[in-house]
Short mmCIF file of all heavy atoms in Angstrom, two decimals:
data_model
loop_
_atom_site.label_atom_id
_atom_site.label_comp_id
_atom_site.label_asym_id
_atom_site.label_seq_id
_atom_site.Cartn_x
_atom_site.Cartn_y
_atom_site.Cartn_z
N ALA A 20 1.71 15.14 -8.37
CA ALA A 20 2.75 16.13 -8.58
C ALA A 20 3.00 16.36 -10.08
O ALA A 20 3.17 17.50 -10.53
CB ALA A 20 4.04 15.72 -7.89
N LEU A 21 3.01 15.29 -10.86
CA LEU A 21 3.21 15.42 -12.31
C LEU A 21 2.04 16.15 -12.96
O LEU A 21 2.23 16.98 -13.86
CB LEU A 21 3.41 14.05 -12.95
CG LEU A 21 4.76 13.39 -12.68
CD1 LEU A 21 4.77 11.97 -13.24
CD2 LEU A 21 5.87 14.20 -13.31
N MET A 22 0.82 15.85 -12.52
CA MET A 22 -0.35 16.54 -13.07
C MET A 22 -0.28 18.04 -12.77
O MET A 22 -0.61 18.87 -13.61
CB MET A 22 -1.65 15.95 -12.50
CG MET A 22 -2.00 14.60 -13.09
SD MET A 22 -3.47 13.79 -12.41
CE MET A 22 -4.45 15.05 -11.73
N ARG A 23 0.16 18.39 -11.59
CA ARG A 23 0.29 19.79 -11.21
C ARG A 23 1.33 20.48 -12.08
O ARG A 23 1.12 21.60 -12.56
CB ARG A 23 0.67 19.90 -9.74
CG ARG A 23 0.67 21.30 -9.22
CD ARG A 23 0.85 21.31 -7.71
NE ARG A 23 0.82 22.66 -7.21
CZ ARG A 23 1.84 23.51 -7.26
NH1 ARG A 23 2.98 23.13 -7.81
NH2 ARG A 23 1.75 24.72 -6.77
N GLN A 24 2.45 19.84 -12.31
CA GLN A 24 3.51 20.42 -13.14
C GLN A 24 3.04 20.61 -14.58
O GLN A 24 3.37 21.60 -15.23
CB GLN A 24 4.77 19.56 -13.10
CG GLN A 24 5.51 19.63 -11.78
CD GLN A 24 6.02 21.02 -11.50
OE1 GLN A 24 5.27 21.93 -11.17
NE2 GLN A 24 7.31 21.20 -11.65
N ILE A 25 2.31 19.64 -15.10
CA ILE A 25 1.79 19.76 -16.47
C ILE A 25 0.83 20.93 -16.56
O ILE A 25 0.83 21.69 -17.53
CB ILE A 25 1.12 18.44 -16.92
CG1 ILE A 25 2.20 17.37 -17.12
CG2 ILE A 25 0.31 18.63 -18.19
CD1 ILE A 25 1.66 15.97 -17.36
N GLY A 26 -0.01 21.11 -15.53
CA GLY A 26 -0.93 22.24 -15.51
C GLY A 26 -0.20 23.57 -15.50
O GLY A 26 -0.57 24.51 -16.21
N VAL A 27 0.86 23.68 -14.70
CA VAL A 27 1.66 24.90 -14.65
C VAL A 27 2.32 25.16 -16.00
O VAL A 27 2.32 26.29 -16.51
CB VAL A 27 2.71 24.81 -13.52
CG1 VAL A 27 3.71 25.94 -13.61
CG2 VAL A 27 2.03 24.80 -12.16
N LEU A 28 2.86 24.13 -16.61
CA LEU A 28 3.49 24.27 -17.92
C LEU A 28 2.48 24.71 -18.97
O LEU A 28 2.76 25.56 -19.81
CB LEU A 28 4.15 22.95 -18.33
CG LEU A 28 4.86 22.94 -19.67
CD1 LEU A 28 6.05 23.90 -19.65
CD2 LEU A 28 5.33 21.55 -20.01
N HIS A 29 1.28 24.14 -18.92
CA HIS A 29 0.24 24.49 -19.88
C HIS A 29 -0.14 25.97 -19.76
O HIS A 29 -0.41 26.63 -20.75
CB HIS A 29 -0.99 23.60 -19.67
CG HIS A 29 -2.09 23.85 -20.64
ND1 HIS A 29 -2.00 23.52 -21.97
CD2 HIS A 29 -3.30 24.42 -20.48
CE1 HIS A 29 -3.10 23.88 -22.58
NE2 HIS A 29 -3.92 24.43 -21.69
N GLU A 30 -0.18 26.50 -18.55
CA GLU A 30 -0.49 27.91 -18.36
C GLU A 30 0.61 28.81 -18.88
O GLU A 30 0.34 29.89 -19.40
CB GLU A 30 -0.72 28.21 -16.88
CG GLU A 30 -2.02 27.65 -16.35
CD GLU A 30 -2.19 27.90 -14.86
OE1 GLU A 30 -1.37 28.65 -14.29
OE2 GLU A 30 -3.12 27.35 -14.29
N ARG A 31 1.85 28.40 -18.76
CA ARG A 31 2.98 29.22 -19.21
C ARG A 31 3.10 29.25 -20.72
O ARG A 31 3.49 30.25 -21.31
CB ARG A 31 4.28 28.69 -18.63
CG ARG A 31 4.44 28.97 -17.18
CD ARG A 31 5.80 28.50 -16.72
NE ARG A 31 5.87 28.52 -15.27
CZ ARG A 31 6.76 27.85 -14.58
NH1 ARG A 31 7.66 27.11 -15.20
NH2 ARG A 31 6.76 27.91 -13.27
N VAL A 32 2.80 28.15 -21.38
CA VAL A 32 2.96 28.04 -22.83
C VAL A 32 1.59 28.15 -23.47
O VAL A 32 0.97 27.16 -23.79
CB VAL A 32 3.64 26.71 -23.22
CG1 VAL A 32 3.86 26.64 -24.71
CG2 VAL A 32 4.95 26.54 -22.48
N PHE A 33 1.10 29.37 -23.66
CA PHE A 33 -0.17 29.58 -24.32
C PHE A 33 0.07 29.79 -25.80
O PHE A 33 1.15 30.19 -26.21
CB PHE A 33 -0.91 30.77 -23.71
CG PHE A 33 -0.14 32.05 -23.75
CD1 PHE A 33 -0.28 32.91 -24.82
CD2 PHE A 33 0.73 32.39 -22.73
CE1 PHE A 33 0.44 34.08 -24.87
CE2 PHE A 33 1.45 33.56 -22.79
CZ PHE A 33 1.31 34.41 -23.85
N PRO A 34 -0.95 29.52 -26.65
CA PRO A 34 -0.74 29.67 -28.08
C PRO A 34 -0.46 31.12 -28.47
O PRO A 34 -1.16 32.03 -28.05
CB PRO A 34 -2.06 29.20 -28.71
CG PRO A 34 -2.94 28.78 -27.62
CD PRO A 34 -2.26 29.03 -26.32
N ALA A 35 0.58 31.31 -29.22
CA ALA A 35 0.94 32.64 -29.70
C ALA A 35 0.31 32.87 -31.05
O ALA A 35 -0.11 31.94 -31.73
CB ALA A 35 2.46 32.75 -29.80
N GLY A 36 0.25 34.12 -31.46
CA GLY A 36 -0.31 34.45 -32.76
C GLY A 36 0.67 34.16 -33.88
O GLY A 36 1.76 33.63 -33.66
N ALA A 37 0.27 34.54 -35.07
CA ALA A 37 1.11 34.33 -36.24
C ALA A 37 2.42 35.10 -36.09
O ALA A 37 2.42 36.25 -35.67
CB ALA A 37 0.38 34.78 -37.50
N LEU A 38 3.52 34.46 -36.41
CA LEU A 38 4.84 35.08 -36.29
C LEU A 38 5.02 36.08 -37.43
O LEU A 38 5.11 35.70 -38.60
CB LEU A 38 5.92 34.01 -36.35
CG LEU A 38 7.36 34.50 -36.32
CD1 LEU A 38 7.66 35.17 -34.99
CD2 LEU A 38 8.31 33.36 -36.54
N MET A 39 5.04 37.36 -37.09
CA MET A 39 5.15 38.39 -38.11
C MET A 39 6.62 38.77 -38.30
O MET A 39 7.36 38.91 -37.34
CB MET A 39 4.36 39.62 -37.69
CG MET A 39 4.21 40.61 -38.82
SD MET A 39 3.05 41.90 -38.42
CE MET A 39 4.17 43.18 -37.95
N THR A 40 7.00 38.93 -39.54
CA THR A 40 8.37 39.34 -39.85
C THR A 40 8.42 40.85 -40.03
O THR A 40 7.41 41.48 -40.34
CB THR A 40 8.87 38.66 -41.13
OG1 THR A 40 8.02 39.06 -42.21
CG2 THR A 40 8.85 37.16 -41.00
N ASN A 41 9.58 41.43 -39.84
CA ASN A 41 9.74 42.88 -39.99
C ASN A 41 10.05 43.28 -41.42
O ASN A 41 10.09 44.45 -41.73
CB ASN A 41 10.85 43.38 -39.06
CG ASN A 41 10.45 43.29 -37.61
OD1 ASN A 41 9.26 43.35 -37.29
ND2 ASN A 41 11.41 43.13 -36.74
N ARG A 42 10.30 42.31 -42.27
CA ARG A 42 10.65 42.62 -43.65
C ARG A 42 9.40 42.67 -44.51
O ARG A 42 8.41 42.03 -44.23
CB ARG A 42 11.62 41.55 -44.17
CG ARG A 42 12.92 41.56 -43.35
CD ARG A 42 13.92 40.59 -43.85
NE ARG A 42 14.26 40.92 -45.23
CZ ARG A 42 14.80 40.05 -46.05
NH1 ARG A 42 15.06 38.83 -45.66
NH2 ARG A 42 15.09 40.40 -47.29
N GLY A 43 9.46 43.43 -45.57
CA GLY A 43 8.35 43.51 -46.50
C GLY A 43 7.29 44.50 -46.05
O GLY A 43 7.45 45.21 -45.06
N PRO A 44 6.17 44.54 -46.78
CA PRO A 44 5.11 45.48 -46.43
C PRO A 44 4.52 45.14 -45.05
O PRO A 44 4.39 43.98 -44.70
CB PRO A 44 4.08 45.30 -47.54
CG PRO A 44 4.37 43.97 -48.12
CD PRO A 44 5.83 43.71 -47.92
N GLN A 45 4.20 46.17 -44.29
CA GLN A 45 3.70 46.00 -42.93
C GLN A 45 2.19 46.23 -42.88
O GLN A 45 1.62 46.85 -43.79
CB GLN A 45 4.42 46.99 -42.01
CG GLN A 45 5.91 46.78 -41.92
CD GLN A 45 6.28 45.42 -41.36
OE1 GLN A 45 5.78 45.01 -40.33
NE2 GLN A 45 7.13 44.70 -42.07
N PRO A 46 1.54 45.75 -41.82
CA PRO A 46 0.12 46.06 -41.65
C PRO A 46 -0.11 47.57 -41.69
O PRO A 46 0.62 48.34 -41.08
CB PRO A 46 -0.20 45.48 -40.27
CG PRO A 46 0.76 44.34 -40.13
CD PRO A 46 2.03 44.82 -40.79
N GLY A 47 -1.11 47.96 -42.45
CA GLY A 47 -1.39 49.38 -42.67
C GLY A 47 -0.89 49.87 -44.00
O GLY A 47 -1.33 50.91 -44.50
N ASP A 48 0.04 49.12 -44.62
CA ASP A 48 0.54 49.47 -45.95
C ASP A 48 -0.39 48.90 -47.02
O ASP A 48 -1.05 47.89 -46.80
CB ASP A 48 1.94 48.88 -46.18
CG ASP A 48 3.01 49.49 -45.29
OD1 ASP A 48 2.75 50.55 -44.70
OD2 ASP A 48 4.09 48.89 -45.19
N PRO A 49 -0.41 49.53 -48.19
CA PRO A 49 -1.19 48.94 -49.29
C PRO A 49 -0.50 47.67 -49.80
O PRO A 49 0.72 47.53 -49.70
CB PRO A 49 -1.20 50.03 -50.36
CG PRO A 49 -0.04 50.90 -50.04
CD PRO A 49 0.20 50.80 -48.56
N SER A 50 -1.29 46.77 -50.34
CA SER A 50 -0.74 45.55 -50.92
C SER A 50 0.19 45.92 -52.07
O SER A 50 -0.17 46.74 -52.92
CB SER A 50 -1.87 44.66 -51.43
OG SER A 50 -1.36 43.55 -52.11
N PRO A 51 1.40 45.35 -52.13
CA PRO A 51 2.33 45.71 -53.20
C PRO A 51 1.86 45.27 -54.58
O PRO A 51 2.28 45.84 -55.58
CB PRO A 51 3.63 45.00 -52.80
CG PRO A 51 3.22 43.92 -51.88
CD PRO A 51 1.97 44.37 -51.20
N ILE A 52 1.00 44.29 -54.63
CA ILE A 52 0.45 43.81 -55.91
C ILE A 52 -1.05 43.69 -55.72
O ILE A 52 -1.52 43.11 -54.73
CB ILE A 52 1.06 42.46 -56.31
CG1 ILE A 52 2.55 42.63 -56.58
CG2 ILE A 52 0.35 41.87 -57.52
CD1 ILE A 52 3.29 41.35 -56.91
N ASP A 53 -1.83 44.24 -56.65
CA ASP A 53 -3.28 44.18 -56.47
C ASP A 53 -4.01 43.38 -57.54
O ASP A 53 -5.18 43.05 -57.37
CB ASP A 53 -3.87 45.58 -56.37
CG ASP A 53 -3.52 46.45 -57.56
OD1 ASP A 53 -2.79 46.00 -58.45
OD2 ASP A 53 -3.98 47.61 -57.60
N HIS A 54 -3.35 43.04 -58.63
CA HIS A 54 -3.97 42.23 -59.67
C HIS A 54 -3.15 40.96 -59.88
O HIS A 54 -1.93 41.03 -60.07
CB HIS A 54 -4.08 43.00 -60.99
CG HIS A 54 -5.10 44.08 -60.95
ND1 HIS A 54 -4.89 45.26 -60.29
CD2 HIS A 54 -6.35 44.15 -61.45
CE1 HIS A 54 -5.96 46.02 -60.40
NE2 HIS A 54 -6.86 45.38 -61.10
N LEU A 55 -3.84 39.82 -59.87
CA LEU A 55 -3.18 38.53 -60.03
C LEU A 55 -3.84 37.74 -61.13
O LEU A 55 -5.02 37.94 -61.43
CB LEU A 55 -3.28 37.73 -58.72
CG LEU A 55 -2.75 38.40 -57.45
CD1 LEU A 55 -3.15 37.59 -56.23
CD2 LEU A 55 -1.25 38.55 -57.52
N VAL A 56 -3.09 36.83 -61.71
CA VAL A 56 -3.63 35.91 -62.71
C VAL A 56 -3.65 34.53 -62.08
O VAL A 56 -2.62 34.02 -61.64
CB VAL A 56 -2.78 35.91 -64.00
CG1 VAL A 56 -3.33 34.91 -64.99
CG2 VAL A 56 -2.72 37.31 -64.59
N ALA A 57 -4.84 33.94 -62.03
CA ALA A 57 -5.01 32.63 -61.40
C ALA A 57 -4.48 31.52 -62.31
O ALA A 57 -4.14 31.74 -63.47
CB ALA A 57 -6.48 32.40 -61.08
N PHE A 58 -4.45 30.32 -61.75
CA PHE A 58 -3.96 29.14 -62.47
C PHE A 58 -4.76 28.88 -63.74
O PHE A 58 -4.22 28.41 -64.73
CB PHE A 58 -4.04 27.92 -61.53
CG PHE A 58 -3.24 26.75 -61.99
CD1 PHE A 58 -1.88 26.67 -61.78
CD2 PHE A 58 -3.87 25.69 -62.64
CE1 PHE A 58 -1.14 25.58 -62.21
CE2 PHE A 58 -3.14 24.59 -63.07
CZ PHE A 58 -1.78 24.54 -62.85
N ASP A 59 -6.07 29.21 -63.70
CA ASP A 59 -6.91 29.00 -64.89
C ASP A 59 -6.98 30.25 -65.77
O ASP A 59 -7.87 30.38 -66.60
CB ASP A 59 -8.31 28.55 -64.47
CG ASP A 59 -9.08 29.63 -63.73
OD1 ASP A 59 -8.49 30.68 -63.40
OD2 ASP A 59 -10.28 29.43 -63.48
N ASP A 60 -6.05 31.20 -65.59
CA ASP A 60 -5.92 32.44 -66.35
C ASP A 60 -7.03 33.46 -66.08
O ASP A 60 -7.15 34.44 -66.80
CB ASP A 60 -5.82 32.17 -67.86
CG ASP A 60 -4.55 31.43 -68.21
OD1 ASP A 60 -3.53 31.66 -67.53
OD2 ASP A 60 -4.58 30.62 -69.15
N SER A 61 -7.84 33.26 -65.04
CA SER A 61 -8.82 34.27 -64.66
C SER A 61 -8.12 35.35 -63.83
O SER A 61 -7.02 35.15 -63.33
CB SER A 61 -9.97 33.64 -63.88
OG SER A 61 -9.50 33.06 -62.68
N GLN A 62 -8.76 36.50 -63.68
CA GLN A 62 -8.19 37.63 -62.96
C GLN A 62 -8.68 37.66 -61.52
O GLN A 62 -9.86 37.41 -61.25
CB GLN A 62 -8.59 38.95 -63.64
CG GLN A 62 -8.06 39.09 -65.06
CD GLN A 62 -6.56 39.25 -65.09
OE1 GLN A 62 -5.98 39.96 -64.28
NE2 GLN A 62 -5.92 38.56 -66.02
N ILE A 63 -7.77 37.98 -60.60
CA ILE A 63 -8.11 38.16 -59.18
C ILE A 63 -7.65 39.55 -58.79
O ILE A 63 -6.52 39.94 -59.06
CB ILE A 63 -7.40 37.12 -58.29
CG1 ILE A 63 -7.81 35.70 -58.68
CG2 ILE A 63 -7.69 37.39 -56.82
CD1 ILE A 63 -7.02 34.63 -57.95
N THR A 64 -8.54 40.30 -58.15
CA THR A 64 -8.20 41.64 -57.69
C THR A 64 -8.19 41.64 -56.16
O THR A 64 -9.16 41.24 -55.53
CB THR A 64 -9.22 42.68 -58.20
OG1 THR A 64 -9.25 42.60 -59.62
CG2 THR A 64 -8.85 44.07 -57.77
N LEU A 65 -7.09 42.08 -55.59
CA LEU A 65 -6.99 42.24 -54.15
C LEU A 65 -7.46 43.64 -53.81
O LEU A 65 -7.00 44.61 -54.41
CB LEU A 65 -5.55 42.04 -53.67
CG LEU A 65 -4.88 40.73 -54.07
CD1 LEU A 65 -3.45 40.70 -53.57
CD2 LEU A 65 -5.65 39.54 -53.53
N GLY A 66 -8.37 43.77 -52.87
CA GLY A 66 -8.90 45.09 -52.53
C GLY A 66 -9.87 45.59 -53.57
O GLY A 66 -9.78 46.72 -54.02
N ASP A 67 -10.81 44.73 -53.95
CA ASP A 67 -11.78 45.09 -54.98
C ASP A 67 -12.96 45.90 -54.44
O ASP A 67 -13.87 46.24 -55.17
CB ASP A 67 -12.29 43.84 -55.69
CG ASP A 67 -13.01 42.88 -54.76
OD1 ASP A 67 -13.12 43.17 -53.55
OD2 ASP A 67 -13.47 41.82 -55.24
N GLY A 68 -12.93 46.22 -53.15
CA GLY A 68 -14.02 46.98 -52.55
C GLY A 68 -15.19 46.12 -52.10
O GLY A 68 -16.10 46.61 -51.45
N LEU A 69 -15.17 44.84 -52.44
CA LEU A 69 -16.28 43.95 -52.09
C LEU A 69 -15.94 42.96 -50.99
O LEU A 69 -16.77 42.68 -50.13
CB LEU A 69 -16.75 43.18 -53.33
CG LEU A 69 -17.21 44.03 -54.51
CD1 LEU A 69 -17.47 43.15 -55.72
CD2 LEU A 69 -18.44 44.82 -54.14
N LYS A 70 -14.73 42.41 -51.01
CA LYS A 70 -14.36 41.39 -50.04
C LYS A 70 -12.92 41.54 -49.59
O LYS A 70 -12.08 42.03 -50.33
CB LYS A 70 -14.52 39.96 -50.56
CG LYS A 70 -15.19 39.74 -51.80
CD LYS A 70 -15.19 38.31 -52.22
CE LYS A 70 -15.51 38.32 -53.68
NZ LYS A 70 -15.71 37.13 -54.31
N SER A 71 -12.69 41.04 -48.38
CA SER A 71 -11.32 40.93 -47.89
C SER A 71 -10.70 39.69 -48.50
O SER A 71 -11.41 38.79 -48.97
CB SER A 71 -11.32 40.81 -46.36
OG SER A 71 -11.87 41.96 -45.78
N THR A 72 -9.38 39.61 -48.47
CA THR A 72 -8.67 38.47 -49.06
C THR A 72 -7.69 37.89 -48.06
O THR A 72 -6.90 38.63 -47.46
CB THR A 72 -7.89 38.91 -50.32
OG1 THR A 72 -8.79 39.50 -51.26
CG2 THR A 72 -7.19 37.73 -50.96
N LEU A 73 -7.76 36.59 -47.89
CA LEU A 73 -6.74 35.87 -47.15
C LEU A 73 -5.80 35.29 -48.20
O LEU A 73 -6.18 34.41 -48.96
CB LEU A 73 -7.34 34.76 -46.30
CG LEU A 73 -6.31 33.89 -45.56
CD1 LEU A 73 -5.53 34.71 -44.56
CD2 LEU A 73 -6.99 32.71 -44.89
N LEU A 74 -4.60 35.82 -48.26
CA LEU A 74 -3.60 35.38 -49.22
C LEU A 74 -2.67 34.41 -48.50
O LEU A 74 -1.96 34.80 -47.58
CB LEU A 74 -2.83 36.59 -49.76
CG LEU A 74 -1.80 36.37 -50.84
CD1 LEU A 74 -2.43 35.75 -52.08
CD2 LEU A 74 -1.15 37.70 -51.20
N LEU A 75 -2.71 33.14 -48.89
CA LEU A 75 -1.93 32.11 -48.22
C LEU A 75 -0.89 31.57 -49.18
O LEU A 75 -1.23 31.05 -50.24
CB LEU A 75 -2.85 30.98 -47.73
CG LEU A 75 -2.17 29.82 -47.01
CD1 LEU A 75 -1.58 30.28 -45.68
CD2 LEU A 75 -3.18 28.70 -46.76
N PHE A 76 0.37 31.69 -48.80
CA PHE A 76 1.48 31.19 -49.62
C PHE A 76 1.76 29.75 -49.22
O PHE A 76 2.02 29.47 -48.04
CB PHE A 76 2.72 32.06 -49.41
CG PHE A 76 2.57 33.45 -49.95
CD1 PHE A 76 2.05 34.46 -49.16
CD2 PHE A 76 2.93 33.74 -51.25
CE1 PHE A 76 1.91 35.74 -49.65
CE2 PHE A 76 2.79 35.02 -51.76
CZ PHE A 76 2.27 36.03 -50.95
N VAL A 77 1.70 28.84 -50.20
CA VAL A 77 1.88 27.40 -49.95
C VAL A 77 2.82 26.82 -51.00
O VAL A 77 3.19 27.49 -51.96
CB VAL A 77 0.53 26.65 -49.99
CG1 VAL A 77 -0.40 27.11 -48.88
CG2 VAL A 77 -0.15 26.82 -51.34
N SER A 78 3.14 25.55 -50.80
CA SER A 78 3.94 24.81 -51.77
C SER A 78 3.48 23.36 -51.78
O SER A 78 3.17 22.81 -50.72
CB SER A 78 5.42 24.88 -51.39
OG SER A 78 6.17 23.98 -52.18
N PRO A 79 3.46 22.73 -52.94
CA PRO A 79 3.09 21.31 -52.99
C PRO A 79 4.06 20.42 -52.20
O PRO A 79 3.69 19.33 -51.77
CB PRO A 79 3.16 20.97 -54.48
CG PRO A 79 3.00 22.26 -55.18
CD PRO A 79 3.62 23.29 -54.29
#
Side-chain angles (χ1 to χ4, degrees):
L21 287 174
M22 286 177 22
R23 186 171 181 281
Q24 288 297 74
I25 290 171
V27 169
L28 180 65
H29 182 70
E30 288 178 8
R31 287 184 191 161
V32 182
F33 58 91
L38 177 65
M39 192 170 99
T40 61
N41 291 333
R42 298 183 60 201
Q45 298 299 310
D48 293 345
S50 174
I52 295 177
D53 56 358
H54 289 75
L55 305 170
V56 178
F58 195 81
D59 67 352
D60 294 327
S61 62
Q62 297 292 318
I63 299 173
T64 303
L65 305 178
D67 62 0
L69 302 173
K70 350 176 198 186
S71 298
T72 302
L73 176 64
L74 184 59
L75 180 67
F76 293 89
V77 296
S78 170

